[in-house]
Amino acid sequence: MQDFDVVIVGGGPIGIACGLEAKKQGLTYAIIEKGPIVNSLFNYPMNMQFFSSSEKLEIDDIPFISKEAKPKRNEALEYYRRIVTSNQLNIHLFEKVLDVEQKKAFFNIKTDKDTYKAKNVIVATGFYDLPNKINVPGEDLPKVSHYYKDPHFYASQKLAVVGASNSAIDAALECWRKGAEVTLIIRGPEVGQRVKYWVRPDIVNRIEEGSIKAYYNSTVKEITESEIVINTPQGEVTLANDFVLALTGYRPNFNFLEKLGIQLSDDGKRLPAYDPETMETNVPGLFLAGVICGGMETHKWFIENSRIHAPIIINAIKNKMAAADKES
Ligand SMILES: Cc1cc2nc3c(=O)[nH]c(=O)nc-3n(C[C@H](O)[C@H](O)[C@H](O)COP(=O)(O)OP(=O)(O)OC[C@H]3O[C@@H](n4cnc5c(N)ncnc54)[C@H](O)[C@@H]3O)c2cc1C
């Protein structure tokens, strides 16, 4: 069984930052990622542009050069990929962590391919794997998706986009520009206030001029092969429909966190318990990094403000190991 100072679960930007920091500080480590390098970013919309400028997405001060101030998805893939390959980080791809078992002074990390032993574990599994479902009949039809990739697919089609935040609004605008007939279904009274400030006027104007139809204070009642039924303040509306993009956000894998023994707050936010000074959870030796820290508040943490978790955690692990060495 391979034995490490630290195993990092998740090879997103923050998991990679943790691996790089561990390597720099002389710890033995492995990053285990269930998909390709930065799997979540790989699955983002094809033409996605970050709201952060590139220097704010840098890890370990390694320069991130992009064509425009705010990089595109492809540039971010290139940047994080190069960090992994140039630094020869020990990353195990397409390997899923199934369980982390605490033994006395170490953890057993069980994956679908192997078992590893580590003194410390960092969970950096993000939140992009589990979409928030709208829980209506027809949600499982093949024409419904919780992930948006490429506008070309929807050209000349009747597309309903559910949601009012950045993902939904970007998808609605892009698809309309590529010739889709777009209807937005928005639960609240307006387009989300957190929509990027340079995109909000665009969508508001498209709705006002009637190019994109929006139903406010409305929810989906049912989806069928050829229609979508919407509850609106004016009553039920049935529209002809080819595809539905239900872009209503994502959530961390709370079952996984609970299985690991991490306490979650019971105030609806499901915030995991951790010490912000060290990022160590209520389970000694088990740390959290990246957007997973936000519980249901998935907008609180992003790359910009969570890349700092890497040095915080690796310093904490080094201090713990030094203290343990002194004792023995
Ligand atoms: C559309 C969109 C735009 C965004 N724009 C920005 C921006 O402009 N600026 C910014 O700072 N942030 C932005 N964010 C947020 C940012 O992308 C995330 O904060 C970032 O991906 C978080 O990194 P992470 O490493 O914490 O999590 P992730 O990138 O989600 O990485 C988690 C990794 O863990 C892996 N994983 C999960 N479970 C397991 C398991 N059991 N075993 C092994 N591997 C596992 C996943 O495959 C994934 O690769 C955006 C997010 C979205 C959705």
Side-chain angles (χ1 to χ4, degrees):
M1 194 190 294
Q2 298 179 68
D3 192 348
F4 296 100
D5 291 327
V6 56
V7 158
I8 299 146
V9 188
I14 309 306
I16 288 171
C18 292
L20 186 61
E21 189 67 28
K23 180 169 184 167
K24 256 178 59 184
Q25 297 217 33
L27 299 183
T28 57
Y29 72 97
I31 306 169
I32 304 176
E33 164 56 56
K34 72 184 171 81
I37 298 168
V38 292
N39 188 27
S40 301
L41 274 58
F42 176 74
N43 286 308
Y44 286 173
M46 199 79 94
N47 307 316
M48 175 258 188
Q49 185 162 27
F50 283 81
F51 58 77
S52 305
S53 48
S54 51
E55 77 280 0
K56 297 210 167 120
L57 301 174
E58 288 171 355
I59 51 183
D60 196 36
D61 292 329
I62 298 169
F64 182 171
I65 314 295
S66 57
K67 216 165 146 200
E68 295 171 46
K70 297 174 195 301
K72 297 266 176 72
R73 165 185 166 274
N74 269 352
E75 294 173 303
L77 292 182
E78 180 77 35
Y79 176 73
Y80 295 113
R81 184 168 66 232
R82 288 297 294 271
I83 287 183
V84 169
T85 54
S86 328
N87 291 284
Q88 296 176 320
L89 293 186
N90 183 22
I91 186 164
H92 301 218
L93 298 170
F94 300 99
E95 182 167 349
K96 185 173 183 178
V97 173
L98 304 175
D99 202 3
V100 177
E101 261 177 26
Q102 193 176 23
K103 299 290 172 182
K104 267 209 166 133
F106 61 91
F107 295 89
N108 273 343
I109 298 99
K110 288 194 179 155
T111 75
D112 52 5
K113 291 187 179 159
D114 213 337
T115 301
Y116 304 85
K117 188 174 161 186
K119 293 185 192 74
N120 301 280
V121 172
I122 303 173
V123 178
T125 47
F127 62 70
Y128 203 57
D129 292 329
L130 297 178
N132 291 326
K133 294 282 177 81
I134 52 174
N135 295 319
V136 296
E139 188 168 9
D140 294 333
L141 287 169
K143 70 175 206 172
V144 182
S145 176
H146 296 88
Y147 295 91
Y148 162 65
K149 199 72 192 173
D150 191 329
H152 175 84
F153 187 79
Y154 303 102
S156 302
Q157 295 293 288
K158 292 181 174 58
L159 171 67
V161 179
V162 188
S165 62
N166 278 301
S167 305
I169 300 306
D170 283 350
L173 283 167
E174 268 198 356
C175 293
W176 170 71
R177 294 214 152 88
K178 301 294 178 210
E181 190 184 311
V182 177
T183 303
L184 264 171
I185 300 154
I186 298 178
R187 194 172 48 180
E190 58 177 7
V191 169
Q193 281 299 337
R194 277 199 291 267
V195 168
K196 291 168 274 197
Y197 65 85
W198 61 96
V199 174
R200 208 166 187 281
D202 190 5
I203 186 69
V204 169
N205 289 337
R206 300 295 74 76
I207 293 170
E208 270 176 22
E209 72 190 18
S211 303
I212 292 178
K213 172 91 183 145
Y215 288 93
Y216 296 106
N217 300 306
S218 300
T219 52
V220 179
K221 184 179 179 211
E222 188 183 357
I223 303 163
T224 65
E225 290 286 355
S226 58
E227 290 177 335
I228 182 164
V229 186
I230 312 167
N231 287 319
T232 78
Q234 287 74 44
E236 215 171 274
V237 173
T238 301
L239 301 176
N241 172 265
D242 299 309
F243 289 101
V244 178
L245 281 171
L247 303 176
T248 47
Y250 306 89
R251 58 174 64 203
N253 189 339
F254 294 115
N255 290 344
F256 185 65
L257 294 184
E258 282 181 320
K259 198 166 154 196
L260 269 48
I262 299 172
Q263 286 162 4
L264 303 175
S265 69
D266 51 14
D267 54 2
K269 295 182 184 167
R270 310 206 76 190
L271 294 170
Y274 66 89
D275 175 354
E277 302 277 311
T278 59
M279 307 306 293
E280 192 168 19
T281 65
N282 58 291
V283 180
L286 190 55
F287 296 79
L288 288 182
V291 297
I292 185 90
C293 298
M296 287 301 284
E297 297 190 301
T298 49
H299 59 278
K300 281 266 163 87
W301 291 103
F302 29 101
I303 302 169
E304 262 193 47
N305 64 358
S306 67
R307 55 189 176 164
I308 186 74
H309 294 164
I312 292 177
I313 296 171
I314 300 303
N315 286 332
I317 290 176
K318 285 216 71 165
N319 291 341
K320 272 180 79 158
M321 286 169 62
D325 275 353
K326 254 191 194 169
E327 259 177 40
S328 60

